[in-house]
Structures are given as C-alpha cells and as structure tokens.
Amino acid sequence: MSTKRETTPTAEKKTTVKKAPTERKPAVRKTKPVQEEGLQTTPAAEAKVATKTARKPAPEKSGPPVTRVMAYVDVGLGNTLFLRGEGPGLSWESGVPMQWTGEGCWSWSAEAGGEEITFKVLINDQHWSGGDNLKVASGDTASFTPAF
C-alpha cells in the first residue's frame, strides 16, 4: 500500500527593510503636586493655584450706556449727514456731523444722560429731512431711513 504525501508550497522568503532611526522627543510626564507631610496650604494659596489653572472668562465691557442714532441713506459723494436736536451735545442752531460707517449707514452716539433725545438729520447741515422730529430714549438705538 502506498501512502500519498501531501506537499505544501514552499514558504516564501521574507525580506525586511530597516528604517532609518528617528529622533524621539523626550516624554513629558504630567505630575500632580505632592503635599509634603506637615505642610499646610492656606486658602489664599489654594485660590492662587486655582486661579492659574482655571480659565478666566473674557471680561464684560461695562461702561456707561450709550444712545445711538443710525441713519441709512445715500447722500451722495462728498456730502455729509448732520444731526440737530435736543440732548447731550446737540442743539437746533448748529448740527453735529455724523460718522460714515459704510454700507449706506451714518452713525452718531453719545453717553446716555438719562434724558430722551429729540433730533432731525440734515445734508451738509443745510437741507432738513422731511417729516416730524424723531425721538430716542436714553441708552437706546434709533435706526431709520430719512427722506429728503
């Protein structure tokens, strides 16, 4: 009786490629401070450590309230919008120039003095806008489109 031998394919040769050594950065270990025996921390020292490790929120801008007037109008190149009225820094006899902020917007602002502001806008401090006088409460913003 003959026996059959099973043959397996011969193993392929494995080739290895050596990689060039790379520089390693030294490992950084994070450690917690260890309190030595017999030493006590004060609440002030603990607060100082907590302050350094905790993220502080951005401080809120706290200032006096501001009253704003925003006029959306195209007065033409070379012209300026002026504001006349009653309130902080305003009079009916001469106007205060408004600031061009871009995108067809003119702006004026003043610290709120607790009083309501009554106003009207003029082109080049000469041509009055139509309609009634406008009002804005102290600390508020009035946005409008004047008609000339």
Side-chain angles (χ1 to χ4, degrees):
M1 197 182 248
S2 67
T3 57
K4 288 186 180 178
R5 280 188 140 175
E6 291 187 23
T7 59
T8 58
T10 58
E12 294 179 14
K13 290 186 179 181
K14 292 185 180 179
T15 56
T16 57
V17 177
K18 291 185 179 182
K19 294 182 178 178
T22 58
E23 289 186 33
R24 286 187 169 183
K25 293 182 180 179
V28 178
R29 292 183 358 173
K30 294 181 180 179
T31 59
K32 294 182 179 178
V34 178
Q35 184 174 352
E36 293 182 23
E37 197 173 313
L39 294 178
Q40 295 181 356
T41 58
T42 63
E46 288 177 2
K48 188 175 182 181
V49 170
T51 303
K52 286 185 178 179
T53 57
R55 291 190 138 228
K56 293 181 183 177
E60 292 184 21
K61 293 182 180 179
S62 60
V66 176
T67 304
R68 288 186 176 86
V69 174
M70 310 287 285
Y72 294 91
V73 62
D74 181 5
V75 293
L77 189 62
N79 295 314
T80 302
L81 205 60
F82 282 77
L83 191 69
R84 289 192 191 188
E86 296 172 6
L90 297 178
S91 80
W92 290 110
E93 285 76 38
S94 65
V96 176
M98 297 179 75
Q99 299 297 313
W100 170 253
T101 62
E103 301 297 321
C105 180
W106 293 86
S107 174
W108 173 86
S109 62
E111 278 188 25
E115 59 189 72
E116 184 177 69
I117 295 175
T118 305
F119 65 93
K120 205 150 188 174
V121 294
L122 297 88
I123 296 176
N124 296 329
D125 206 22
Q126 295 175 1
H127 304 285
W128 293 81
S129 61
D132 294 333
N133 295 341
L134 301 172
K135 295 183 181 192
V136 60
S138 179
D140 284 349
T141 298
S143 296
F144 65 100
T145 302
F148 291 95

